[in-house]
Amino acid sequence: MTVEYSSVTCKTALSLSSLPGLTYSLNPYVGCEHGCAYCYSPSVLKDKQLSERWGQFVRAKSNIAEVLTKEVKQRQKAMVGMSTVTDPYQPIEAKLELTRKCIEVLAKHDFPVSIQTKSSLVSRDADLIKPGRFELGMTLTTMNRELANLLEPMASPPDARAQTIEEFSKSGVETWIFLGPIIPRINDDTEGMKEIIKLAARTKSKIIYDRLNLKQWIMDRLGPKLELRNPGLAKQLPEILKEQGVSWKLTSQTIQMACKQFGVKCEPAF
């Protein structure tokens, strides 16, 4: 798949965030090359055309570090989330280093930073991401490489993500794992989830878990992927999710029991 790259300029680097634990969000890119089939970002951006092309374009905010340098002098020091509607470690970040430049600015001005990614590229910035002011969250939907490749085709393989979080944990950086989205009959098997929870135990990471939220346009991208894995599920899924009260309660209890078994702190995302 060909990805279209372009540059844009931004007027603002730090946006107020309503997500739990975050005061600001910082997104160095628009779009995401990872192309995750379940991504809700196009729904947040409220743009159907972006949704149809999600994973096929990345727009780099070329001046974001300069804008951020001005804003940090005017804003109260509070938690910055990188990133909330894109992955801060796009493959193109290896060349452009926009995320790295922003981290340098935030570190220099003592802003606490919460990084969430699906990319092992974050290891490049280990010299900047130090204990105390930084925390690293790694999204792991599954440890099954074949399934991950289907759902998250351009993200780092799950074993590479696991190795990355182990490295940061050993260096003393606070780490957490986002287990989700949990999709019925795809990645909600107990053993698969336990594998991720065991990784959390090894790295002293908290587990934050979440179920699939079928926001606008998601099934347009996710449906064909589900059919490849479990024929017939795409048509059934909306109804399954509607009736998922009891089922999700059981899944949630399974996660909580496994976390208790392995001594891992856990909480639902919302």
Side-chain angles (χ1 to χ4, degrees):
M1 182 178 64
T2 302
V3 178
E4 175 192 320
Y5 300 105
S6 61
S7 294
V8 295
T9 56
C10 62
K11 295 181 179 178
T12 303
L14 294 173
S15 301
L16 291 177
S17 175
S18 60
L19 292 175
L22 303 180
T23 299
Y24 307 110
S25 64
L26 191 154
N27 292 277
Y29 300 93
V30 179
C32 186
E33 189 175 341
H34 289 167
C36 300
Y38 50 74
C39 186
Y40 63 83
S41 293
S43 303
V44 174
L45 297 171
K46 300 178 181 178
D47 191 319
K48 190 175 191 298
Q49 288 185 326
L50 288 186
S51 177
E52 291 171 347
R53 298 183 58 239
W54 199 254
Q56 301 175 34
F57 71 93
V58 175
R59 300 171 188 166
K61 298 179 183 178
S62 57
N63 66 329
I64 192 166
E66 290 77 14
V67 174
L68 179 62
T69 299
K70 296 177 182 177
E71 290 185 347
V72 291
K73 297 172 184 176
Q74 304 164 353
R75 301 291 186 96
Q76 179 182 357
K77 289 181 176 64
M79 185 64 80
V80 179
M82 296 182 66
S83 297
T84 55
V85 290
T86 187
D87 195 302
Y89 287 95
Q90 299 292 311
I92 195 68
E93 166 64 18
K95 176 183 178 181
L96 299 182
E97 297 192 350
L98 296 181
T99 294
R100 180 175 176 84
K101 291 172 184 174
C102 289
I103 287 175
E104 286 177 327
V105 172
L106 294 168
K108 181 180 178 181
H109 291 85
D110 294 324
F111 272 70
V113 182
S114 178
I115 299 170
Q116 184 174 2
T117 184
K118 292 189 181 83
S119 176
S120 57
L121 179 58
V122 65
S123 295
R124 179 202 63 188
D125 296 337
D127 61 317
L128 298 174
I129 302 169
K130 299 297 185 182
R133 285 281 176 183
F134 287 87
E135 63 177 46
L136 175 66
M138 188 67 72
T139 298
L140 278 165
T141 309
T142 176
M143 292 302 295
N144 182 311
R145 192 166 185 151
E146 181 185 356
L147 178 56
N149 190 52
L150 178 69
L151 297 175
E152 311 156 340
M154 294 300 292
S156 294
D159 53 336
R161 295 183 229 173
Q163 182 179 345
T164 299
I165 201 164
E166 286 177 339
E167 290 170 355
F168 275 98
S169 176
K170 287 177 183 175
S171 74
V173 174
E174 181 181 348
T175 55
W176 49 276
I177 294 172
F178 185 86
L179 170 54
I182 298 170
I183 306 170
R185 303 179 192 175
I186 293 292
N187 66 333
D188 60 345
D189 59 292
T190 300
E191 289 309 309
M193 294 189 296
K194 274 190 175 182
E195 194 173 356
I196 295 173
I197 292 167
K198 288 176 184 177
L199 171 64
R202 291 198 303 274
T203 57
K204 299 181 176 62
S205 301
K206 178 171 66 176
I207 287 277
I208 299 174
Y209 63 94
D210 196 21
R211 58 180 164 177
L212 176 68
N213 188 339
L214 279 188
K215 294 190 176 184
Q216 196 173 24
W217 309 312
I218 285 180
M219 280 304 294
D220 295 344
R221 289 175 289 111
L222 181 60
K225 304 284 189 178
L226 297 182
E227 285 304 294
L228 291 172
R229 187 76 180 185
N230 190 337
L233 180 58
K235 289 184 179 180
Q236 301 169 25
L237 189 60
E239 197 60 36
I240 291 171
L241 291 173
K242 282 182 184 177
E243 299 172 351
Q244 208 192 12
V246 174
S247 175
W248 174 246
K249 186 176 181 180
L250 291 173
T251 300
S252 182
Q253 287 175 347
T254 298
I255 294 169
Q256 291 173 15
M257 287 174 63
C259 285
K260 185 176 181 179
Q261 177 186 352
F262 295 106
V264 173
K265 293 181 179 179
C266 73
E267 62 185 51
F270 302 103

